[in-house]
Amino acid sequence: MVYALAINSFLLPNKLGEGGVTGLMTIFYYWLKIPPSLTNLVLNGILLFVGWKFLPKQTVLYTVFAIVSISFWLRVTSPLQFNLHDPLVAAIIGGVLMGIAMGIIMKGEGTIAGSTILAKIVNKYWGIKTGSAMLCFDLVVALPSFIWIGFENMLLTIIELYISAVVLNKMLALFVAKRSFMIISAKSDELACALAKLNQTGITLLDGHGYVSNEPKKIIYCVCDANLQVKVMHQIEQIDPLAFVVLEEVRSAYGGNLIKLL
């Protein structure tokens, strides 16, 4: 529904394009007046064959559901059109809504077909961020669109695509945000026990050696959800205020009950 609102309420009324299949939907609408719901169904149906070969079957089945849902909501929301005085506002709002919608869909292990299928494949085999890969594919359609929507609107479309890619990357990172801790402490065993109970996952103890002190050290390494960051720091401060702590953001983690590449 959010995806359909972005197209019907902000992109089409302000003559903005899009990338991938969505971009072709807008071009066919401006050029031949073909309903976006029909274009979405036909073109994405073709691209599903590619996804069936390279992506998990569950993802493809969820994508079928997403395509049908989007076509339905494109029909339902077609009367909700906002002709804004400043098309830049439409590009910004449309980009944010697109990013949010695709983030929710991809969080559910689905895609909206089109360039998102290709982006998922690139992410799976080369590890490139999904939003960034999708932006590259979308530009292939968006750049020639100036023939139908004009040069200025084509530039606004590129702004909208960039915003949606940034929002998508942020959304996916938000859903799977992780933090890694590397802790050097004189109370490593006590601290590791407390963190294991707090984090409910494994804690790794590494053998180290202090170069300056010339003493053996135990190094604690753990990865936890971002929402546990403050609790972990508080636990460390309570047990060993003198502990040396290195905290880092984790873009992706894989294995066990952790998360795959974004």
Side-chain angles (χ1 to χ4, degrees):
M1 184 187 70
V2 175
Y3 185 86
L5 282 173
I7 295 172
N8 281 331
S9 300
F10 296 99
L11 300 186
L12 294 182
N14 297 279
K15 210 172 182 183
L16 297 177
E18 243 294 327
V21 168
T22 308
L24 294 174
M25 281 164 45
T26 58
I27 289 173
F28 289 151
Y29 176 78
Y30 297 139
W31 183 23
L32 303 172
K33 297 300 179 183
I34 298 175
S37 55
L38 179 61
T39 308
N40 174 67
L41 211 56
V42 174
L43 294 183
N44 282 328
I46 296 171
L47 283 168
L48 280 174
F49 287 105
V50 178
W52 188 265
K53 182 174 178 61
F54 294 101
L55 294 176
K57 301 302 180 282
Q58 182 186 38
T59 298
V60 177
L61 293 176
Y62 287 164
T63 299
V64 172
F65 175 74
I67 293 171
V68 174
S69 295
I70 287 171
S71 291
F72 168 77
W73 284 110
L74 282 169
R75 297 283 291 183
V76 171
T77 61
S78 57
L80 299 175
Q81 298 193 356
F82 302 107
N83 291 291
L84 303 179
H85 294 295
D86 189 348
L88 178 60
V89 176
I92 294 172
I93 301 295
V96 170
L97 290 178
M98 283 289 221
I100 291 173
M102 288 186 290
I104 294 171
I105 291 170
M106 289 189 178
K107 164 61 179 171
E109 293 299 325
T111 74
I112 56 171
S115 58
T116 57
I117 281 185
L118 301 177
K120 276 266 192 183
I121 292 171
V122 169
N123 173 259
K124 179 180 179 181
Y125 290 99
W126 288 284
I128 299 173
K129 284 186 177 182
T130 305
S132 304
M134 193 175 65
L135 177 61
C136 294
F137 290 118
D138 285 345
L139 287 175
V140 174
V141 174
L143 290 174
S145 67
F146 76 90
I147 299 172
W148 294 275
I149 64 177
F151 185 72
E152 183 178 343
N153 281 7
M154 183 268 286
L155 295 178
L156 289 171
T157 297
I158 293 174
I159 293 174
E160 181 268 324
L161 289 173
Y162 176 76
I163 292 173
S164 67
V166 170
V167 172
L168 173 58
N169 283 335
K170 294 292 183 184
M171 285 282 290
L172 293 177
L174 179 66
F175 285 134
V176 299
K178 296 282 184 182
R179 299 290 184 268
S180 70
F181 285 86
M182 188 168 284
I183 309 159
I184 301 175
S185 170
K187 301 179 179 179
S188 56
D189 289 333
E190 183 182 350
L191 194 53
C193 181
L195 293 180
K197 292 179 181 178
L198 176 65
N199 197 25
Q200 298 296 311
T201 57
I203 304 293
T204 301
L205 285 176
L206 307 173
D207 290 321
H209 192 88
Y211 179 77
V212 175
S213 64
N214 199 30
E215 294 178 355
K217 303 281 185 181
K218 285 289 185 181
I219 304 169
I220 302 171
Y221 182 80
C222 70
V223 176
C224 70
D225 292 332
N227 57 8
L228 289 177
Q229 174 183 326
V230 175
K231 291 182 179 179
V232 170
M233 292 297 294
H234 183 63
Q235 191 77 266
I236 295 170
E237 187 178 4
Q238 278 189 325
I239 296 174
D240 186 5
L242 300 177
F244 179 76
V245 182
V246 177
L247 169 63
E248 294 181 311
E249 290 187 4
V250 177
R251 180 195 155 203
S252 300
Y254 186 81
N257 61 345
L258 294 179
I259 308 299
K260 58 192 165 189
L261 289 171
L262 298 179

